[in-house]
């Protein structure tokens, strides 16, 4: 197997970060600050990484697409939108007022259950990890070696777990979700081992 370099970016500040609504599969835009932050991410990548031969995959939700658009003002890249990189689907909890979310969400069990659903039609952790493993499998099977992914905090947490070979048994020891706009770089070596060069790096 060829060495694979994977850079991930969590989308920058979105309307739901400041308007007291939930995220999930919802169609919020970036704030003006979020657009400025995303542009800074692109500038940082231009100055610190060789990015001219990367394939860029982006969640198709507006806040991630807009993050990618700002990044690409600095980088010679085109991006592909995919539903596979969407945030966890919260079902009835997608894009609603946080006060309403807290009122109707199903409480987490005392003992972690990866099949627990926060709402009747929500995606659970088992399903999210399988979806993120699907993205990783696509990367491993590709003839291309360098990828940049623009996605969401929860989705990227599980994507990083998939890359690192972690299971849902490791959830209690999972690292914190990075801040909006944080960047990670992980290399999959020719022998299949994983090297984390940086994780949830803040660049603005």
């Amino acid at each position: 197997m060829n060495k694979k370099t994977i850079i991930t970016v969590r989308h920058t500040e979105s309307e739901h970060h400041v308007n007291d609504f939930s995220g999930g599969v919802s169609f919020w835009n970036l704030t003006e600050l979020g657009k400025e932050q995303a542009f800074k991410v692109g500038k940082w990548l231009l100055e610190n990484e060789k990015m001219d031969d990367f394939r860029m995959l982006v969640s198709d939700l507006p806040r991630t697409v807009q993050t990618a658009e700002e990044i690409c003002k600095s980088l010679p890249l085109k991006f592909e939108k995919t539903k596979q990189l969407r945030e966890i689907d919260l079902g009835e909890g997608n894009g609603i007022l946080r006060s309403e979310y807290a009122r109707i969400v199903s409480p987490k069990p005392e003992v972690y259950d990866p099949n627990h659903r926060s709402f009747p039609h929500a995606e659970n952790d088992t399903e999210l990890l399988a979806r993120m493993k699907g993205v990783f499998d696509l990367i491993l099977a590709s003839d291309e070696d360098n990828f940049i992914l623009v996605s969401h905090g929860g989705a990227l947490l599980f994507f990083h777990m998939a890359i690192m070979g972690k299971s849902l048994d490791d959830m209690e020891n999972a690292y914190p979700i990075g801040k909006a706009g944080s960047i990670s770089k992980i290399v999959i070596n020719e022998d299949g081992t994983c090297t984390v060069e940086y994780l949830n790096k803040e660049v603005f």
Side-chain angles (χ1 to χ4, degrees), residues 56-75:
M56 192 174 192
L57 303 176
V58 178
S59 159
D60 67 337
L61 296 177
R63 57 194 186 270
T64 35
V65 171
Q66 291 163 15
T67 299
E69 288 172 344
E70 293 297 322
I71 290 172
C72 288
K73 289 179 180 178
S74 300
L75 302 180

Side-chain angles (χ1 to χ4, degrees), residues 8 160 164 175-176 182-186 196-202:
T8 66
H160 293 157
M164 297 175 195
Y175 63 87
S182 58
I183 307 174
S184 301
K185 181 179 180 181
I186 301 174
V196 179
E197 296 203 4
Y198 48 83
L199 191 65
N200 293 336
K201 187 177 185 69
E202 297 174 32

